[in-house]
Amino acid sequence: MTTDLKTAVINASEKWKAAFNSGDAAGCAACYEADAVMVATPFGTYSGHSEIQSFWQNLIDNGFTDVDYLDPDITVLDDTSVLLTSGWKMNKAHGVITRELWVLQDDGTMALREDHFEAQG
């Protein structure tokens, strides 16, 4: 089960990155649970699909793209949840992901319940 959850998170994370890099903010938001919370330091806290989609759309509209994760660490917490931490970079910024909490959904996919990251430059 541990390997399956890790693989599911890797796939879900790749789906999110592909959506962002193709300019699809709605696709980014679809990777979150409906009542997910995203803490984007220093920008603010965003809750739910609409606010999260607006945040990503603003970044996309301002020319941010080419996101990639640097040395991700994936830890299975229990039978339904996985923690991902990582450095990240994109064309106009870089930083650290301190907590992506991915949770197994009823349909077998993984979705973000919590997303905590920091832009450092």
Side-chain angles (χ1 to χ4, degrees), residues 7-64:
T7 299
V9 166
I10 291 167
N11 292 339
S13 180
E14 290 299 322
K15 180 179 175 182
W16 182 90
K17 288 186 281 187
F20 181 81
N21 289 335
S22 67
D24 180 8
C28 291
C31 294
Y32 292 78
E33 290 183 334
D35 57 353
V37 174
M38 182 177 77
V39 179
T41 303
F43 309 105
T45 300
Y46 306 85
S47 300
H49 284 156
S50 180
E51 288 184 12
I52 290 170
Q53 181 175 335
S54 292
F55 175 85
W56 293 122
Q57 188 65 59
N58 183 57
L59 258 60
I60 291 165
D61 290 348
N62 283 297
F64 290 84

